[in-house]
Amino acid sequence: MYRGREGQWAFLLHRLSGLAILSYLLLHVFSIGSFIFGERFYMAIHHTYDLWPFRIGLVFITAGVVYHAFNGLRIIVMDFTGAGVAYQRQMWYGVMVLSVLSALYAAYHLYPRLIGGF
Amino acid sequence: MIRARTFMDARQQSHSNAELNWWIFMRISGLILIFLILGHIYMTFIQVSEADATFDAVVSKLSNPAWKFYDWLILALSLMHGANGARYSIEDYVRSRPNRAWVKGLFYTVIAVVFAFGTIGLFSI
């Protein structure tokens, strides 16, 4: 059964994380690329991105990228091996554990910034 | 050999399999992006403290051609991978044909503008 089981959530999360990463990428290219307009413009954007919702968002984007990367590997393994299909549920739980761990690691590592900003 | 007078003829006679090529592209670019992007996040986000990510740091890092190439490869591959992934979502969820046409047109325009902007930014240093 696919509906309502791990496979469906893996698919949905893969799409959502992919769209989230793409929107982050568009903002990221704009904000980093804005250095061509000079330091004042660049810093004005980066002070806006220093608001707390964006700082917390960075932890989620790390977890989202890790999820998308390792779930993508899971998809590739499923596409090319039969064993990958047989163990897709177990692999998905592995992917979820990796994503949660990397979110925790990023939050721990960036704790001073999460609390205090730059 | 394609002898088509209209677009519909051409489509019926074409033997190219664009969707298959995109399917393969998503797997290959995904594999490459895993290394490029996890490395990028580690080197510029985890390893470096935030106080170091200043305007001068960005400019001096990008003056190295190797980082320029690394970042441009991420830009090109991830925009293509992301644009095609979002195209799958648009085709699945935007149900009416006229809406799909303008949503896609707008979306591809944004992707092209961001790609041009990023490329100009990278190579203007």
Side-chain angles (χ1 to χ4, degrees):
Chain A
M1 185 88 172
Y2 176 73
R3 270 178 79 105
R5 295 295 300 271
E6 289 85 350
Q8 185 194 354
W9 295 111
F11 171 85
L12 190 66
L13 269 180
H14 199 73
R15 284 219 155 154
L16 286 177
S17 61
L19 291 173
I21 294 165
L22 180 63
S23 6
Y24 175 80
L25 175 72
L26 298 180
L27 282 175
H28 182 66
V29 171
F30 177 70
S31 60
I32 298 291
S34 71
F35 74 85
I36 61 175
F37 302 128
E39 185 161 2
R40 275 191 60 199
F41 192 89
Y42 177 89
M43 283 318 288
I45 292 179
H46 281 77
H47 280 303
T48 313
Y49 285 169
D50 202 38
L51 297 172
W52 67 268
F54 292 102
R55 283 187 253 143
I56 292 171
L58 286 175
V59 173
F60 281 95
I61 206 75
T62 309
V65 168
V66 171
Y67 176 81
H68 198 82
F70 285 96
N71 193 54
L73 272 184
R74 171 180 160 275
I75 291 172
I76 293 173
V77 171
M78 275 168 30
D79 285 339
F80 294 108
T81 71
V85 178
Y87 290 103
Q88 59 95 4
R89 287 177 49 222
Q90 287 85 336
M91 285 196 293
W92 187 66
Y93 284 111
V95 171
M96 288 306 281
V97 168
L98 274 176
S99 317
V100 171
L101 282 181
S102 56
L104 291 175
Y105 179 72
Y108 167 76
H109 211 84
L110 300 165
Y111 184 70
R113 184 179 180 205
L114 282 179
I115 298 305
F118 277 129
Chain B
M1 185 177 177
I2 296 174
R3 283 206 193 109
R5 297 218 178 114
T6 65
F7 175 66
M8 290 306 283
D9 292 349
R11 199 156 72 175
Q12 277 168 5
Q13 290 174 28
S14 75
H15 292 276
S16 79
N17 202 336
E19 283 302 333
L20 177 66
N21 292 336
W22 278 115
W23 189 91
I24 295 167
F25 169 79
M26 291 306 267
R27 269 93 191 137
I28 293 175
S29 63
L31 271 181
I32 301 169
L33 282 167
I34 286 177
F35 296 103
L36 287 178
I37 292 200
L38 291 184
H40 177 74
I41 290 179
Y42 186 76
M43 285 184 287
T44 58
F45 184 51
I46 303 285
Q47 200 182 40
V48 178
S49 97
E50 191 52 36
D52 299 336
T54 57
F55 177 82
D56 298 325
V58 170
V59 171
S60 76
K61 185 196 163 194
L62 290 182
S63 62
N64 182 344
W67 288 127
K68 229 179 251 189
F69 179 67
Y70 186 101
D71 283 3
W72 188 79
L73 205 59
I74 289 185
L75 179 74
L77 276 180
S78 61
L79 274 178
M80 271 162 86
H81 187 101
N84 189 49
R87 179 178 68 87
Y88 292 154
S89 301
I90 291 173
E91 283 176 353
D92 280 355
Y93 302 123
V94 183
R95 304 299 289 274
S96 92
R97 191 180 273 262
N99 281 350
R100 209 158 51 221
W102 70 258
V103 168
K104 273 188 185 174
L106 192 67
F107 175 68
Y108 293 153
T109 309
V110 170
I111 295 287
V113 167
V114 168
F115 177 69
F117 181 74
T119 305
I120 292 168
L122 269 177
F123 291 99
S124 69
I125 297 180

